[in-house]
């Protein structure tokens, strides 16, 4: 996809998108990863797009400055797991283990091992919650999958397939179970009507607090990067 750039400290990469349906220039900044997208109508030149970016530069930079900074997950940092802040430490052994307030990660391919551990834990918790709510609802789902989705925390297909973001394992347990109740409720109501929210409340109870947590704090779960958890800076 074509890109433009706003030079400065730091440079800001801008994805250039053309749309035959767009009637005016528009900017979008992802609240998840800070990606800046400039949409140009079909007949608007790239030169006009650059001028528009310069006009909006202060707004773009101020918006980006308010976003959570990416965190490289490595030895010595604290990572939320099921809502608890745990120290990441490199150790011996063949698997990730939790000891008190620490996660001990084997030194061989630690990033891959830690991410796999979190996904397995997420699957265990989400499957248990989904099974419990589906049984209460008297419905069944056909599959359960995990992804690193950025636009939603979960989904339910018309065929009854449940999908969840594995990063829910970083959130407090009540948030994870609320999302499970939300998606299982779609097995009965494939919409967001008052009837749907009534099903969610019957399954979970008062969902206002976990829903509010996702709206206010959920985006921060995407800032953790698992590319490098070595002990070096």
């Amino acid at each position: 996809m074509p890109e433009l750039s706003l030079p400065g400290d730091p440079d800001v990469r801008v994805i250039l998108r053309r749309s035959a349906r767009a009637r005016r220039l528009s900017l979008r900044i992802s609240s998840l990863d800070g990606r800046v997208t400039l949409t140009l109508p079909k007949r608007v030149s790239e030169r006009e797009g650059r001028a528009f970016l310069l006009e909006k530069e202060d707004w773009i930079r101020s918006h980006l400055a308010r976003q959570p900074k990416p965190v490289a997950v490595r030895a010595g940092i604290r990572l939320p797991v099921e809502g608890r802040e745990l120290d990441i430490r490199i150790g011996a052994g063949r698997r990730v283990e939790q000891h008190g307030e620490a996660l001990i990660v084997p030194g061989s391919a630690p990033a891959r091992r830690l991410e796999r551990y979190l996904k397995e834990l997420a699957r265990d918790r989400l499957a248990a919650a989904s099974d419990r709510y589906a049984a209460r609802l008297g419905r069944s789902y056909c599959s359960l999958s995990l992804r690193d989705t950025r636009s939603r925390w979960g989904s339910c297909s018309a065929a009854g397939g449940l999908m969840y973001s594995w990063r829910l394992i970083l959130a407090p347990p009540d948030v994870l179970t609320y999302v499970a109740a939300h998606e299982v409720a779609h097995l009965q109501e494939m919409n967001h009507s008052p009837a749907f929210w009534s099903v969610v409340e019957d399954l979970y109870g008062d969902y206002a607090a976990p829903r509010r947590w996702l709206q206010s704090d959920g985006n921060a779960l995407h800032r953790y990067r698992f590319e490098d958890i070595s002990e070096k800076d």
Side-chain angles (χ1 to χ4, degrees):
M1 191 172 291
E3 290 187 357
L4 300 176
S5 177
L6 279 174
D9 186 18
D11 290 351
V12 176
R13 295 171 56 195
V14 180
I15 294 172
L16 183 61
R17 175 176 173 269
R18 285 200 174 273
S19 171
R21 293 183 295 177
R23 296 185 178 182
R24 59 185 178 84
L25 291 157
S26 64
L27 274 171
R28 179 179 179 274
I29 301 178
S30 170
S31 60
L32 298 179
D33 58 11
R35 183 178 302 177
V36 182
T37 303
L38 172 64
T39 300
L40 301 180
K42 187 175 181 179
R43 299 184 182 278
V44 173
S45 69
E46 186 174 312
R47 181 179 179 180
E48 291 175 272
R50 290 182 181 277
F52 181 75
L53 281 178
L54 289 174
E55 180 184 329
K56 299 294 184 180
E57 181 174 5
D58 289 346
W59 177 83
I60 293 170
R61 291 189 181 279
S62 65
H63 191 94
L64 291 174
R66 293 195 298 270
Q67 292 197 318
K69 303 300 182 185
V71 176
V73 179
R74 63 183 67 195
I77 77 150
R78 293 176 67 81
L79 178 72
V81 179
E82 296 190 279
R84 296 174 58 205
E85 295 283 335
L86 301 180
D87 292 316
I88 305 301
R89 300 177 186 171
I90 302 297
R94 296 184 176 181
R95 62 182 181 178
V96 178
E97 295 185 350
Q98 183 175 335
H99 294 288
E101 298 299 311
L103 270 180
I104 311 302
V105 185
S108 174
R112 185 168 66 251
R113 288 173 181 267
L114 179 55
E115 189 171 355
R116 184 166 63 241
Y117 168 83
L118 293 171
K119 288 179 178 179
E120 290 173 353
L121 188 59
R123 181 177 293 278
D124 179 69
R125 300 292 191 261
L126 285 162
S130 299
D131 288 349
R132 182 171 68 252
Y133 291 131
R136 191 177 303 172
L137 192 61
R139 304 264 179 163
S140 60
Y141 59 92
C142 67
S143 63
L144 188 154
S145 61
L146 299 181
R147 298 179 187 172
D148 194 5
T149 50
R150 294 182 175 274
S151 60
R152 59 180 64 185
W153 295 108
S155 66
C156 177
S157 71
L162 301 178
M163 183 283 295
Y164 298 105
S165 167
W166 68 263
R167 288 178 183 267
L168 285 167
I169 199 60
L170 306 179
D174 60 325
V175 173
L176 180 148
T177 52
Y178 156 68
V179 175
H182 182 116
E183 300 310 332
V184 167
H186 280 308
L187 295 171
Q188 180 167 311
E189 297 286 342
M190 286 296 291
N191 50 59
H192 286 100
S193 65
F196 164 78
W197 290 109
S198 179
V199 174
V200 176
E201 188 168 15
D202 287 343
L203 291 175
Y204 179 84
D206 185 359
Y207 54 81
R211 188 173 184 225
R212 188 165 54 246
W213 190 96
L214 280 174
Q215 293 169 341
S216 62
D217 299 299
N219 285 347
L221 302 183
H222 292 279
R223 66 183 177 142
Y224 295 100
R225 304 286 187 263
F226 290 82
E227 290 85 1
D228 175 23
I229 60 168
S230 66
E231 294 179 283
K232 298 179 180 180
D233 291 331

